[in-house]
Amino acid sequence: MSKTNPPMRRGWGRGAALAGALAALTWALPATAPAQTPPGVLVVGQIAEPKALDPAAVTAVNDFRILMNVYDGLVRYADGTLEVEPALATDWEISEDGTEYTFSLREGVSFHDGSPFDAEAVVFNFERMLNEDHPFHDTGPFPLAFFFSAVETVEAVDDMTVRFTLSEPYAPFLSNLAYPTGLIVSPAAVEEHGADFARNPSGTGPFRFVEWRSNEAVVVEANAGYWDGAPALQAVVFRPITDANTRTAEMLAGGIDLMVEVPPVALSEFEGDSYTVHEQAGPHLWFLILNTKEGPFAEKAVRQAANYAIDKTALVEDVLEGTAEVAAGPTPPAFAWAHNEALEPYPHDPERARALLAEAGLENPEVTFFVTEGGSGMLDPVAMGTAIQADLEAVGFDVAIETYEWNTFLGEVNPGLEGKADMAEMAWMTNDPDTLPYLALRTEAMPDQGGFNSGYYSNAEVDTLLEEARRATDQDTRAELYKRMQEIVHEDAPWVFVANWKQNAVTNDRVEGFTLQPSFFLLLDDVAKN
């Protein structure tokens, strides 16, 4: 991936870049004309405030969209794909038994704080996540350390060579290294800031951190010495604008240059030469977590009833304006090789839903339903929640909605629904067919064990299939195991499978070189703005 150096502009040093970027935050919107954000400064309308800027400590794509521009991993996804290519590692070797990965590291790379990138830095990063005795393990928690649970040791063979030894073959390992959890942070910055590193990030990426003004903006500026070529932009301002209508209004008024997750009802606002709407399919699933431990959804028949009760076609066509497809199970069709095409979505069948409730001996079961105001991949969650509530009540459920801001919502849902709720909205955008089911459907992925199985689903055969799939090095073998897993999960219905979304974004006519990625990350090092 090549980069072009930006043209020189008088007065654009570090201080001027920061001043111009922050000016964009408070730009007055005149009544007679749209605002103009500064040239060379890209203002991005994010869907929420980030939780943290430590890639090992976060789980939301909203945060990843910032982090992928500040940090690099050993490997990355090639442009427009989910295929792995070199990044901070120039090449690697895998042992015949699939348990040793030896990486040759890129020479001459420094972190933004000036400290050197080397094998010891890589060792520090993974031991911080995986070793409870590491002196900086308390800078966590590290909720996606599951990605590297197969790693037994990480060792610096020499200054620029690092070796990972795994407990067993682990097929998703390289893909997981390309995910934000595998991004490499500066050990010196962690040592300096400790638990405050999440607000004082330092990586090796194309942009370096400048400032985080809570609930206003995260500002980054170009890393002129970036190993892969300096970005064309001088700065990027990430503004959290939770309300989708406000985000749309800001885009139309010129207060932001790039808007992610455009509400389906607003797409028509951006027709014409002044804007470009970008779309890109990717591995996304919008679903409802059902509490299988207690309450009405402890019964499989009731979980199936919910799947039959909800009119997913109406949600996709009416609420989401055709920007998604009805989901059939836990594996998105974007993973074409692993997706079970024979699996049919639960049809909208209210009579079948009522019959299943009667079979379970339940009349007007009460359901507490957690809904979020926004969030990564959540599309139009309040409207979706309201429509789902109506469909469930039409067949006899008594549904009470509780609505939360995104980070508060995650704080309620991720630790588990027990004692709090029967059902919660959720969306995942993942990098491998292993990721979502392994982290959210296995028995050993319960919240009290560090996983995301917030509905407490447990099926021994699913556990076995997932373990065998991640150890299989042959893709066809993995595919068959995942397809069988999907059949079982579809029947058990621990979730209501709702939609697979085609992501979107809109840019104004001053932005050049922007494309969406199937990873759902924002990669801004090739973007320019006049």
Side-chain angles (χ1 to χ4, degrees), residues 101-169:
Y101 288 69
T102 304
F103 294 87
S104 299
L105 304 183
R106 194 172 296 277
E107 303 272 356
V109 177
S110 295
F111 291 102
H112 299 150
D113 56 22
S115 60
F117 164 74
D118 56 18
E120 290 295 346
V122 177
V123 172
F124 178 98
N125 270 258
F126 286 90
E127 288 197 340
R128 178 174 77 115
M129 264 195 294
L130 300 173
N131 180 3
E132 292 182 0
D133 296 326
H134 189 272
F136 293 95
H137 185 74
D138 62 359
T139 56
F142 307 113
L144 295 184
F146 265 101
F147 274 45
F148 303 109
S149 58
V151 174
E152 282 196 332
T153 61
V154 188
E155 58 184 313
V157 178
D158 57 41
D159 285 351
M160 302 309 292
T161 309
V162 67
R163 179 180 297 128
F164 291 78
T165 301
L166 311 185
S167 58
E168 59 189 0

Side-chain angles (χ1 to χ4, degrees), residues 35-112:
Q36 287 286 300
T37 55
V41 177
L42 185 75
V43 184
V44 180
Q46 287 270 87
I47 60 173
E49 173 83 344
K51 182 178 180 180
L53 297 179
D54 179 348
V58 296
T59 64
V61 169
N62 181 66
D63 299 14
F64 296 165
R65 289 177 175 132
I66 301 174
L67 300 177
M68 294 300 290
N69 295 286
V70 176
Y71 301 93
D72 297 302
L74 296 178
V75 296
R76 65 188 180 190
Y77 298 125
D79 187 34
T81 77
L82 290 173
E83 300 297 321
V84 169
E85 68 175 13
L88 290 177
T90 55
D91 55 67
W92 54 89
E93 294 181 358
I94 306 172
S95 64
E96 285 189 13
D97 67 357
T99 63
E100 286 189 357
Y101 288 69
T102 304
F103 294 87
S104 299
L105 304 183
R106 194 172 296 277
E107 303 272 356
V109 177
S110 295
F111 291 102
H112 299 150

